[in-house]
Amino acid sequence: MLGIPRDVVEHSLEIRAGSELVKQCLRDFNEEKHRIIREEVHKLLAAEFIKEVHHPEWLANPILVKKKNKKMRMCVDDTSLNKACPKVPFPLPRIDEIVDCTAGCEMTLSFLDAYSGYHQIKMKESDQLVTSFITPFGMYCYVTMPFGLRNAEATYQWCMLHVFGEHIGSTDEAYVNDIMFKSKKVGNLI
């Protein structure tokens, strides 16, 4: 997996000193949920977004969330871990301002979604084990930044500002993993 180089950005967890380590016990999953979790774990392993672990200090359960298309998505219940990490006050842009900035543009391409964008950012190596989760098939941790971790949106937004730099506000707009290119004249964008 290539992703964003660590010298550009990596996600780190600043766990408060004295935070209680939480190791959740494996929840009971029916046959259908077993299948979904197994498929997702295989996909994440093949993409090198996770790796197997044997002695984690923190341990969370997967949870299945129904998407708009009625399919189930596997997430990890990082509630306890997120409570142990302070919120970073990095500002996310205001959506109303992004919409307003397209006024007067002849062309906008506003449907670009950075597919698996979160997983393009690596976890700080010393924080990977903290992202461990338990399944009926083993224990794993993230080597890339998963969706749902405290401050993941801020890390991703910072990355977009760094990548697009001076173009943000003029020809590009980014709200986390949704990117829009705009142009006052049609010919300038293409």
Side-chain angles (χ1 to χ4, degrees):
M1 183 208 67
L2 295 175
I4 307 290
R6 285 186 192 280
D7 61 338
V8 174
V9 67
E10 69 179 357
H11 189 66
S12 64
L13 300 170
E14 303 301 326
I15 299 173
R16 288 183 193 94
S19 294
E20 182 181 341
L21 302 176
V22 176
K23 280 189 179 179
Q24 296 179 3
C25 295
L26 180 64
R27 293 182 187 148
D28 189 28
F29 298 105
N30 65 30
E31 190 176 319
E32 176 66 11
K33 290 179 180 180
H34 267 255
R35 183 188 61 75
I36 294 168
I37 292 168
R38 180 182 313 217
E39 288 174 4
E40 186 63 21
V41 165
H42 285 301
K43 285 182 204 173
L44 293 169
L45 282 169
E48 299 179 6
F49 296 159
I50 63 172
K51 67 181 180 182
E52 191 170 12
V53 297
H54 299 287
H55 303 287
E57 294 177 356
W58 290 77
L59 201 52
N61 269 283
I63 54 175
L64 296 174
V65 179
K66 194 175 284 191
K67 299 189 309 186
K68 290 180 185 177
N69 65 4
K70 306 287 188 218
K71 290 186 178 181
M72 299 297 276
R73 170 187 306 201
M74 186 187 90
C75 301
V76 175
D77 181 6
D78 285 319
T79 306
S80 299
L81 177 58
N82 286 341
K83 286 179 182 176
C85 298
K87 182 93 170 124
V88 172
F90 191 85
L92 294 178
R94 291 182 38 170
I95 293 175
D96 60 324
E97 290 177 359
I98 290 176
V99 171
D100 288 348
C101 77
T102 63
C105 292
E106 287 185 9
M107 180 174 226
T108 59
L109 303 173
S110 59
F111 299 107
L112 299 177
D113 183 9
Y115 180 72
S116 289
Y118 277 68
H119 290 302
Q120 301 310 308
I121 297 173
K122 294 171 182 66
M123 285 297 302
K124 184 176 179 180
E125 289 183 5
S126 61
D127 289 339
Q128 290 176 2
L129 201 55
V130 176
T131 67
S132 296
F133 61 98
I134 188 168
T135 73
F137 323 105
M139 296 178 294
Y140 306 89
C141 74
Y142 279 92
V143 296
T144 61
M145 182 177 73
F147 183 81
L149 273 186
R150 171 70 48 100
N151 303 315
E153 285 183 333
T155 299
Y156 198 96
Q157 185 67 33
W158 184 92
C159 181
M160 292 296 95
L161 293 175
H162 183 77
V163 168
F164 290 111
E166 64 194 43
H167 300 291
I168 294 287
S170 58
T171 59
D172 306 351
E173 299 293 341
Y175 183 85
V176 190
N177 65 335
D178 294 310
I179 305 160
M180 175 180 59
F181 299 98
K182 62 186 181 178
S183 176
K184 296 287 184 191
K185 299 285 182 199
V186 173
N188 293 349
L189 190 59
I190 300 174

